[in-house]
Amino acid sequence: MAQKYDMTIGGKSVMADSYIDIRNPANTDEVVGEAPVGTSAHLDEAVSAARQAFESWRYSSEDERIDACQAIVKVVTDNAEELAVLLTKEQGKPLGGLGSRFEMGGCAGWAGYTASLSLPDKVLEESDEKRVVMKREPLGVVGSITPWNWPLMIAIWHIVPGIRTGNTVIIKPSPFTPLSTLRMVELMSAALPKGLINIISGGDELGADLTSHPGINKIVFTGSIATGKKVMASASEHVTPVTLELGGNDPGILLPGTDPVPFVEGLFFGSMINSGQTCGALKRLYVHENDLNLTAQALVEFSKNIPMGDGMDESSLLGPLQNDRQFNRVTELVEDAKAAGAKVLIGGAPIGGANFFYPVTFVTDISDGVRLVDEEQFGPVLPIITYKDLDEAIQLANGTHFGLDASVWGVNRDETAKVAERLEAGTVYENKHAEIAPHIPFGGIKCSGFGVEFGEEGLAAYTSIKVINAAV
Ligand code: NAD
């Protein structure tokens, strides 16, 4: 019998009436564990536990908040290997490389850095007439909704700034990868005051209930644009503030005449990190028409040395797609591209068997207007698109409703800087892609999101401003 994982509400383990099997995407015959199907009654219970905890936590000192965040660092560090193994089994990413252990390192790094941030009172005016001080106050109960691609790291990105600023948190993980988050929060909750962090698990409808609940004072959502729009609409009912980290379709432009070899590793992992299932991965590559063959060949050759396999195998560097929905979507996008006349250089069809493996795939003879270029593929498939001049490349890169990240690659740094200025995205990289850090604000523009995470700007999103304007 597979292990059952429970929800944690108000510091207690809470069972559900029903459970769903969570299967290993590298071998779908294997049930990794059973996840509870929480209901709106569990949500109400979690809201009341979080509200009760907020009544004292809102008055906690800076030291108490820092200690709580440090307790989280200790939990994710002390239990890193157990959580990494569970994450690999349910999510599919390898233990090594840029996989589960890397994700656990990110959890500790983000939690530790966020603990060290602060938002001190700001004196705006001190005169003979008045003293005006701007304070940052917690919002209340934060509702966090997370996706299945980097479930633990994203959970940490939502939880820790919430706690650090005096809020309490309820998290609802993705129904595709709930187990590792259920376990991580169970461990965290045992190290923190009761009700500070609560977890309910269930389907999409539970997420919808969370976003419209009157007892939630802030929503932080990471997921698709389609769901993000629903979250924003639902949050409007109670004018609940939202942070939305949504999908991306990041372009990369290789400057004309660039030798691809020095950049091939950065291009490859910028695109294929987590088998392409990363919001800020490189998803469209624009190369000058004269450079197509060399660039495509360099990427194909590099890919042959990157093993894809079961994440529990220490030699794997890439894992499967996480779920059947994503597997079918990637398969469909590649078939659609083929039908539109695109050429597949390597990969291009599922590996087969009881799993969601899809091989690394590079596609040429494709342009904007084909779904694989226009939509977010979220898989290990990169379309390489040719351009005639840089103006055209920039226009194509910007010609989308996405605006998460973008990148420009080349040895002429004046030129890369000029192109970077013209690319429309929350982050523009030069000669790299998909590099995030806890001190660097991150967020999308256009339909890729609303608000930022990380750094002081990200922390401030968990607070409201209160001004004390005192006559003297
Ligand atoms: P998704 O939108 O399908 O689901 C995300 C979460 O929302 C899940 O927990 C789901 O249960 C919940 N949900 C579904 N319907 C809901 C509703 N109506 N109301 C409230 N919650 C609801 O996304 P996904 O497929 O899990 O994740 C992949 C997407 O996430 C990709 O588009 C990716 O680019 C994006 N993403 C963005 C970032 C970022 O920081 N910008 C990071 C990671 C992933």
Side-chain angles (χ1 to χ4, degrees), residues 145-150 154 157 172-176 202-209 211 221-228 230-231 244-248 278-280 283 323 325-326 376 378 404 442 444 448 453:
I145 301 176
T146 51
W148 46 260
N149 58 343
W150 295 90
I154 293 172
W157 294 350
K172 190 211 82 68
S174 165
F176 291 113
D204 294 350
E205 63 294 341
L206 194 60
D209 288 348
T211 58
F221 171 81
T222 304
S224 63
I225 292 175
T227 309
K230 291 184 196 164
V231 169
L244 300 177
E245 293 290 358
L246 309 179
T278 299
C279 53
K283 296 184 178 127
N323 56 67
R325 190 179 76 184
Q326 198 54 35
E376 181 186 32
F378 222 55
L404 194 53
F442 172 74
S448 286
E453 295 186 282

Side-chain angles (χ1 to χ4, degrees), residues 121-154:
D121 293 354
K122 239 188 194 169
V123 178
L124 302 178
E125 184 175 337
E126 194 149 34
S127 63
D128 293 345
E129 287 142 34
K130 61 185 119 163
R131 186 166 196 273
V132 184
V133 181
M134 184 181 88
K135 297 165 129 3
R136 291 272 177 185
E137 301 223 313
L139 293 163
V141 178
V142 173
S144 146
I145 301 176
T146 51
W148 46 260
N149 58 343
W150 295 90
L152 294 186
M153 198 152 68
I154 293 172

Side-chain angles (χ1 to χ4, degrees), residues 438-457:
H439 60 293
I440 303 173
F442 172 74
I445 60 166
K446 300 183 186 172
C447 289
S448 286
F450 188 84
V452 295
E453 295 186 282
F454 317 155
E456 276 167 19
E457 290 80 0

Side-chain angles (χ1 to χ4, degrees), residues 98 264-273 302 306 317-318 433-434:
L98 299 171
V264 73
E265 184 173 355
L267 288 167
F268 182 87
F269 283 110
S271 162
M272 300 297 166
I273 178 169
F302 187 89
I306 306 300
L317 287 179
L318 295 175
H433 204 106

